[in-house]
Amino acid sequence: MHCVSRKYSVMMVSFCQGALLLSLAVAMAVYADMKVDCGPDFVTLMWTESRPQADTSLLRLGNCFPTSFSAGEAYFYVDLTDCNFRRLVTGDALVYSNDLTYVASADSYNLAFTHRVVCAYERPKDWYATIYDPVFKTYSLGDLQFNIGLMNDDFSGPAESTRFPLGSIIPIMASVVQETHQPLLLLLEECVAATIPELYPESTMYPIISNKGCLLESVSSRSKFEPRQKSSEIRLSLQTFTFAMGEEVFIHCKLLAWDPNGLDSTKKACHFVEGHGWELLDNLAQSHLCDCCESKCKSRRQRSVASEKHGMVQKAVIGPFTITDVNS
C-alpha cells in the first residue's frame, strides 16, 4: 500500500458542543497540534496540547484510549483494523477514517470536540472491497462485525456484475468477525426479497429463508447452502426467481451469530435435498432439527436471542441487483 495522506496539523475542529464553533476552532489552531502518520496497516497520532488545564488522557481515537500520554501530549499507535476505523472505497483509493474526540469532564473548562482523522491509500489491483455498495455491506453490532455480499462463482471475491439471468445462481456469502469472542456459528435466520431497501409492514416480499433457518427456495430450485469453510461464515447458492424480474431487487436478511454447540430447531441452517428431504448443513446426524421446516419451528424457551450472552442478531440488506429474462 502507498500512503497518500501523511502528516498534518489541526487547523479546525469539525464538530464541537455548544455554539462556540468559531472561537473553539481558533483556539484549537493556536493551542493544539495533531500529527498523523499513516503506515501500511497502522496509524500513529501525536496530539500536542499547550493548555495546562487540558487532560490528554481524555482523548479517544474511535473507541481506543491513548497508547501513552503526559501532561501535554497524547500518543496513539493503532492498527487500521482496530478502534472502529471506517473503510470506504472511492475510485482507486482506500480511505480509512475515524474521529479523535475529547471527552471533557464535568468540572472542566475545556469543551468536548471531535476531529476527523483520515488516511487514504492507493487500492491494490488484487484487493477486494469489504464495503462495496451494492455488492458488499458491513454492519457493526457491539464488538462484532457482520459482512454480507454478492460473490463471484467460486466465492473467491465480490460479484463482477449485479445482473443475473433467470435460472442462474447468485452466490451470497455472510460472515462475522469475532476477534474478542469465543468461536461463533453464523446462521441466516431469515431472508426475503423485495424491491425496496427498507421494509414496511405493507411491503411485498418474496420469502427465501424463513421458519428460523429453513431455505424454502431449495424445495423447488437448485438453491442450497454450500459446505462451510469456517464456522463464522455461511455461503448460499441462490437460484434466481421470477419475482420482480427486470426490477431492482434487495435481499433483506437476519444474521444470527450463535454458539456452535447450541443448535436447535430455531438455531439452524436447513436445505431440502431431492431424494433425502431436509438436511442440516452443519451435522447430517442432527437433521431431525429440520423436521419443523414443513410446519412451525419453535423453541422450548421463549426469550430474545439478541439479549442472550452467546447470540447476536443483525439485520442486513444487499442489493440492488437485477434478474434478467434470458429471452429478452
Side-chain angles (χ1 to χ4, degrees):
M1 285 187 178
H2 171 68
C3 183
V4 177
S5 84
R6 299 294 289 182
K7 296 182 179 180
Y8 59 93
S9 297
V10 173
M11 296 305 295
M12 275 204 64
V13 176
S14 57
F15 171 81
C16 72
Q17 294 181 347
L20 301 177
L21 176 61
L22 180 59
S23 61
L24 179 60
V26 173
M28 292 301 299
V30 174
Y31 295 114
D33 178 75
M34 182 174 75
K35 293 182 179 179
V36 176
D37 189 357
C38 301
D41 55 4
F42 65 90
V43 175
T44 63
L45 184 153
M46 176 65 78
W47 178 272
T48 304
E49 175 66 64
S50 61
R51 292 173 295 178
Q53 68 272 28
D55 185 352
T56 56
S57 70
L58 298 178
L59 287 164
R60 303 286 184 269
L61 181 57
N63 63 351
C64 287
F65 289 71
T67 305
S68 63
F69 62 89
S70 63
E73 292 183 337
Y75 176 72
F76 295 85
Y77 183 100
V78 299
D79 291 336
L80 289 170
T81 55
D82 293 336
C83 307
N84 288 337
F85 267 91
R86 299 175 292 272
R87 181 169 57 190
L88 180 66
V89 182
T90 58
D92 293 329
L94 290 178
V95 180
Y96 292 83
S97 64
N98 211 331
D99 295 311
L100 180 75
T101 59
Y102 182 80
V103 185
S105 57
D107 57 351
S108 174
Y109 292 102
N110 298 306
L111 293 176
F113 66 85
T114 298
H115 186 76
R116 182 62 56 87
V117 176
V118 178
C119 287
Y121 303 85
E122 291 180 358
R123 184 175 66 173
K125 294 181 179 180
D126 59 350
W127 187 88
Y128 290 113
T130 56
I131 302 179
Y132 184 75
D133 186 13
V135 175
F136 251 89
K137 295 288 178 65
T138 297
Y139 303 84
S140 294
L141 180 63
D143 55 355
L144 294 180
Q145 178 177 290
F146 292 86
N147 303 291
I148 187 168
L150 305 176
M151 306 299 291
N152 58 16
D153 291 343
D154 62 0
F155 291 91
S156 61
E160 298 178 358
S161 172
T162 56
R163 296 177 65 84
F164 299 90
L166 182 64
S168 66
I169 296 296
I170 304 175
I172 298 172
M173 185 172 72
S175 63
V176 60
V177 178
Q178 49 190 52
E179 293 180 0
T180 61
H181 278 255
Q182 64 178 13
L184 293 173
L185 184 73
L186 186 67
L187 301 169
L188 293 174
E189 185 177 76
E190 177 183 291
C191 289
V192 299
T195 56
I196 51 178
E198 295 186 20
L199 293 179
Y200 301 94
E202 66 275 13
S203 300
T204 300
M205 293 174 281
Y206 180 84
I208 297 170
I209 298 173
S210 68
N211 215 355
K212 304 294 184 179
C214 301
L215 179 56
L216 302 182
E217 278 294 287
S218 63
V219 175
S220 57
S221 74
R222 295 184 289 128
S223 299
K224 62 178 180 178
F225 290 116
E226 298 291 348
R228 288 190 191 268
Q229 303 299 308
K230 55 182 71 173
S231 65
S232 59
E233 179 183 285
I234 189 166
R235 299 179 176 187
L236 169 64
S237 290
L238 178 67
Q239 187 173 7
T240 51
F241 35 78
T242 56
F243 172 79
M245 190 165 57
E247 302 179 50
E248 287 191 339
V249 176
F250 298 83
I251 293 182
H252 301 255
C253 293
K254 287 184 181 179
L255 310 181
L256 171 62
W258 193 252
D259 179 355
N261 299 315
L263 293 179
D264 61 27
S265 59
T266 63
K267 318 293 187 306
K268 63 188 187 304
C270 298
H271 55 193
F272 189 87
V273 179
E274 188 174 358
H276 296 273
W278 288 98
E279 292 186 354
L280 185 69
L281 171 64
D282 296 294
N283 188 346
L284 286 177
Q286 289 188 296
S287 291
H288 63 275
L289 297 178
C290 304
D291 291 347
C292 62
C293 286
E294 298 291 346
S295 54
K296 180 71 172 179
C297 297
K298 297 180 180 180
S299 177
R300 294 180 180 179
R301 293 173 292 179
Q302 298 296 323
R303 57 182 177 177
S304 172
V305 171
S307 66
E308 296 189 17
K309 294 182 179 179
H310 54 309
M312 286 286 187
V313 174
Q314 174 65 53
K315 293 183 178 180
V317 184
I318 49 174
F321 62 89
T322 306
I323 299 172
T324 60
D325 188 347
V326 293
N327 297 317
S328 62

